[in-house]
């Protein structure tokens, strides 16, 4: 009887517990549902010039139509806030150095680095200087953002996880979103200059010139068939620097970690090389090369990929000042009211990061007789000291001092006090001038406008409906007293290369217009080899293999290309760059190297039998050849990277010269004795050591080497920042772990969490033929049907229409 009673009570307790769990789950579900965007209905809004329609298609892409551009800005802010407010909040906080207020002490160091530049104060100053019409547009956008946030029945779910309340949006916050992109696109240049400064201190001039070539055989600049010989690597000096290939000392007995990385475990960079990949492709074909006689423009911007995706698709319809109807379609950046990349019906445009030299480290002099003063170009100057306070979740606020001079904020490194002279500090660095791209009618108007844009300096490629195409730089460029090509190392105060005398005018910017071949293209490598190169400098140009492959793909399209053919260029995953490294690996695995070594023999077999000539998901040969290259990097640069890590996380030999693969290729092919790392008796032994490390790492989980395909390594891992806070069974804030074709040195750039953040191809005036894909959906809300809408098409290399489809939901805003 007692046991029966206990059993009944146990069952009742279990049922009660289950009911509580279900009620809690229902409560969570209802809370999440309450923060979904409003898709249908009517809202009354004060201050509108007329009715506004927000019509979403089956993928959640809105067409926003209004009686004025300001009304459309309001509606854009409304949908941005309802779908992406937390993303917007992170961007403004990243730029301002305010992440610790949400994430606590783990974000303090990042905040301190960003506070050095005081971008919130700069944003307030830039806001005050905006033209009245831009202030009005921004004011209406901000009104829409805050109305959208307040219109949610519950705060965005991320704030429940952080325990914070969302802070209202301010006009200066939209400018901070632009400055967040400066950190993303130019933030590595300081680390690069420090790495090069260390290199200069630890190498002689001949060694430095060899290690940091200004070009390579891969380069295909727009103004020449190839770079001139003097830009390629100098002759190999007789001897390498003392640090070259020097192994790290073995850890002391009992040290944490056991055996050194070099003996067994996976090297750091070989596992994460794509995190540091440079990005973006854009290209245009002239009307002489297209089926319809108009230009075709394509752009795929390579960025870190998270959920939600950085871009928000939209089509905007409004009348211009003359009452003519305008339609602009493309991608917007939540937090700002303009279309970033797209087409206005007359002109289409796209960007890639320019990697021109936008940041200098200027060594300032000290004098014991003048304590507290530094010599700048204004003479002896007492740095201004400013106190910055960082609010820290769960801890006391942190106050620290920032010092700055007329040349910029100060930092100590390499035994010097450096002023950071960065174009991001310019008054015109962030603005809304990009809105005027919506109204240009010709290529010439677009090329004249591009230099005035308040964005990180980008390669700007555009084409118009008449078939004209061209390239220039968009964004601010400093006017230097000396050659910008010399400014990629820390500079003495009086070096003319570091003397900025103002800013280039649009007429001074280099341009390429309607070249004879009917195509322009950029992919982050050296754009110019002629006179214009001295205006740009080298802020970390890519190797050029990707650019060369894009150029050749475009040429192969012939004279009657269409949008589908132009779009397909961005999906080219042929392994033209890695093929040479595969050949070197095969040559190293000769009969003597594989005799009695079954694992090496298996690697050789797979390099031959499982090689498709592409970065395909099923290729084991591609993975072995790829990882072999990066193991070589680790072997020769390991000790240098340990030293450079003391200067900051972005100071690496990779940053010092992105042309390091061309450098290693020369050494392996020429085999100079003076550059053979001391731990090895021959260059073949070094290559075999790299291959052995690949074999050990790929087999460390006990799986056969034949199962270590490229797709197994290159699995999609992009996720919402809070995905890791959920138990594995509930991590629906991440994409499926799809195998991804593609790699870095080819048009189809693809890594686990880095790659093509969008693919867009359009002929201005023929937007209905435009094609598009992106890795995430429109909404940042996991319960929204638009959270991952379109993701599968992006993975498969498919294309969706650029224009929104038929309306499925319509929200009306009325006066």
């Amino acid at each position: 009887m007692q046991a029966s009673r206990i059993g009944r009570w146990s069952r009742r307790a279990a049922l009660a517990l289950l009911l509580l769990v279900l009620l809690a789950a229902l409560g969570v579900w209802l809370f999440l549902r309450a923060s979904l965007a409003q898709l249908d209905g009517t809202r009354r809004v004060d201050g509108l010039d007329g009715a506004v329609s927000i019509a979403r298609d089956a993928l959640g892409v809105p067409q926003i139509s209004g009686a004025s551009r300001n009304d459309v800005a309001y509606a854009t802010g409304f949908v941005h806030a309802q779908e992406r407010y937390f993303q917007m909040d992170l961007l403004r906080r990243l730029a301002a150095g305010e992440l610790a207020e949400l994430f606590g002490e783990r974000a303090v160091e990042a905040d301190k680095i960003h506070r050095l530049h005081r971008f919130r104060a700069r944003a307030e100053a830039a806001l005050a200087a905006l033209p009245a019409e831009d202030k009005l547009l921004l004011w209406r956008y901000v009104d829409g953002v805050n109305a959208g946030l307040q219109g949610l029945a519950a705060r965005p779910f991320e704030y429940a996880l952080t325990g914070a309340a969302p802070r209202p949006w301010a006009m200066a916050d939209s400018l901070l979103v632009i400055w967040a992109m400066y950190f993303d696109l130019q933030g590595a240049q300081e680390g690069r200059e420090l790495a090069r400064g260390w290199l200069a201190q630890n190498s002689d001039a001949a060694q430095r010139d060899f290690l940091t070539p200004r070009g390579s055989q891969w380069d295909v600049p727009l103004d020449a068939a190839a770079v001139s010989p003097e830009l390629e690597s100098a002759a190999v000096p007789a001897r390498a620097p003392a640090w070259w290939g020097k192994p790290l000392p073995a850890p002391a007995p009992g040290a944490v970690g056991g055996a050194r990385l070099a003996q067994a475990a996976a090297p750091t960079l070989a596992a994460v090389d794509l995190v540091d990949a440079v990005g973006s492709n854009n290209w245009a074909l002239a009307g002489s090369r297209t089926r319809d006689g108009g230009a075709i423009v394509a752009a795929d911007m390579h960025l870190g990929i998270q959920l939600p995706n950085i871009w928000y698709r939209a089509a905007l319809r409004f009348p211009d000042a003359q009452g003519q109807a305008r339609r602009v379609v493309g991608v917007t950046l939540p937090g700002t009211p303009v279309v970033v990349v797209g087409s206005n019906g007359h002109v289409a445009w796209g960007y890639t990061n320019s990697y021109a030299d936008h940041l200098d480290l200027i060594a300032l002099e000290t004098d014991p007789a003048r304590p507290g003063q530094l010599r700048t170009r204004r003479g002896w100057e007492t740095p201004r000291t400013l106190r910055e306070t960082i609010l820290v979740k769960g801890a006391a606020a942190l106050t620290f001092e920032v010092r700055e001079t007329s040349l910029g904020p100060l930092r100590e490194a390499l035994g010097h006090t450096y002023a950071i002279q960065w174009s991001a500090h310019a008054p015109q660095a962030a603005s809304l001038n990009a809105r005027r791209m919506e109204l240009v009618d010709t290529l010439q108007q677009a090329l004249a406008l591009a230099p005035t844009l308040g964005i990180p300096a980008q390669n700007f490629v555009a084409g118009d409906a008449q078939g004209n195409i061209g390239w220039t730089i968009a964004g601010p460029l400093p006017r230097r007293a000396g050659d910008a090509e010399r400014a990629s190392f820390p500079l003495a105060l009086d070096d003319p290369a570091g003397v900025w005398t103002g800013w280039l005018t649009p007429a001074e910017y280099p341009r390429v217009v309607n070249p004879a071949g009917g195509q322009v293209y950029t992919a982050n490598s050296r754009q110019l080899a002629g006179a214009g190169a001295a205006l740009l400098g080298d802020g970390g140009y890519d190797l050029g293999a990707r650019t060369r492959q894009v150029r050749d793909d475009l040429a192969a399209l012939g004279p009657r290309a269409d949008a589908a053919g132009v779009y397909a260029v961005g999906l080219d995953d042929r392994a033209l760059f890695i093929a040479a490294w595969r050949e070197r690996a095969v040559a190293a695995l000769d009969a003597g190297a594989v005799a009695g070594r079954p694992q090496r023999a298996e690697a050789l077999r797979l390099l031959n039998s499982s090689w498709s000539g592409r970065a395909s998901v099923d290729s084991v040969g591609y993975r072995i050849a790829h990882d072999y290259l990066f193991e070589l990097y680790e072997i020769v640069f390991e000790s240098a990277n340990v030293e450079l890590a003391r200067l900051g996380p972005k100071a690496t030999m990779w940053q010092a010269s992105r042309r390091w693969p061309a450098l290693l290729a020369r050494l392996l092919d020429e085999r100079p004795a003076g550059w053979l790392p001391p731990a090895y008796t021959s260059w073949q032994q070094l290559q075999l050591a790299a291959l052995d490390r690949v074999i050990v790492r790929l087999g460390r989980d006990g799986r056969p080497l034949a199962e270590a395909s490229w797709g197994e390594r290159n699995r999609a891992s992009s996720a919402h920042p809070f995905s890791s806070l959920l138990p594995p069974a509930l991590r629906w804030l991440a994409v499926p772990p799809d195998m991804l074709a593609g790699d870095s040195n080819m048009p189809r750039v693809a890594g686990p969490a880095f790659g093509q953040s969008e693919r867009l191809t359009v002929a201005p005036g023929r937007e209905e033929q435009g094609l598009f894909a992106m890795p995430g959906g429109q909404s940042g809300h996991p319960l929204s049907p638009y959270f991952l809408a379109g993701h599968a098409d992006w993975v498969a290399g498919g294309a969706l229409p650029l224009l929104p489809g038929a309306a499925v939901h319509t929200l009306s805003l009325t006066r």
Side-chain angles (χ1 to χ4, degrees), residues 285-296 467 558-562 566:
L285 286 186
S288 60
R289 297 278 311 280
T290 68
R291 184 170 300 169
D292 296 318
I296 300 178
R560 291 182 56 77
D562 59 12
V566 174

Side-chain angles (χ1 to χ4, degrees), residues 178-347:
I178 298 173
W179 265 300
M181 299 308 294
Y182 274 91
F183 280 121
D184 198 343
L185 299 172
Q186 298 179 3
Q189 290 200 3
E190 181 182 345
R192 179 176 188 270
E193 298 236 345
L194 288 173
R196 288 185 153 223
W198 180 88
L199 193 63
Q201 289 181 352
N202 291 275
S203 309
D204 64 34
Q207 293 165 343
R208 182 199 63 201
D209 290 345
F210 172 68
L211 291 167
T212 58
R214 296 167 61 194
S216 79
Q217 74 275 19
W218 292 102
D219 280 307
V220 284
L222 291 169
D223 61 345
V227 298
S228 54
E230 62 267 20
L231 289 181
E232 294 193 44
S233 188
V236 182
R239 294 202 170 275
W243 52 265
W244 178 263
K246 182 179 179 181
L248 297 176
V256 175
R260 291 179 57 246
L261 279 176
Q263 296 169 343
T268 303
L269 190 62
V272 298
D273 56 278
L274 277 166
V275 172
D276 277 331
V278 297
S280 302
N281 304 323
N282 64 7
W283 52 86
L285 286 186
S288 60
R289 297 278 311 280
T290 68
R291 184 170 300 169
D292 296 318
I296 300 178
V297 176
D300 57 88
M301 296 177 281
H302 307 158
L303 296 166
I305 298 175
Q306 288 189 327
L307 293 178
N309 191 41
I310 188 169
W311 308 116
Y312 184 87
R313 297 179 61 185
L316 311 181
R317 298 183 72 106
F318 55 90
D320 62 19
Q322 289 73 43
Q324 298 296 313
R326 290 279 183 169
R327 180 182 65 188
V328 187
V329 59
V331 296
T332 65
L333 176 61
T336 66
V338 302
V339 171
V340 177
V341 166
S343 176
N344 68 10
H346 301 276
V347 176

Side-chain angles (χ1 to χ4, degrees), residues 351-371:
Y351 301 111
T352 69
N353 200 15
S354 69
Y355 287 95
D357 194 338
H358 308 293
L359 182 148
D360 295 337
L361 294 180
I362 308 297
L364 304 183
E365 298 177 11
T366 60
D367 184 346
R370 299 174 180 268

Side-chain angles (χ1 to χ4, degrees), residues 89-143:
D89 193 9
L90 291 186
L91 287 171
R92 67 175 171 181
R93 288 177 180 274
L94 183 146
E98 297 168 353
L99 290 170
E101 189 175 1
L102 287 181
F103 300 109
E105 293 179 335
R106 59 181 172 169
V108 166
E109 287 307 310
D111 279 355
K112 288 178 70 175
I113 292 170
H114 290 188
R115 284 289 182 98
L116 183 67
H117 302 280
R118 302 181 62 250
F119 282 134
R120 181 162 288 284
R122 296 183 194 278
E124 295 292 347
L127 176 62
L130 286 182
E133 60 179 336
D134 291 357
K135 284 183 183 177
L136 178 58
L137 181 85
L138 186 54
W139 174 64
R140 293 303 291 154
Y141 174 79
V142 169
D143 268 4

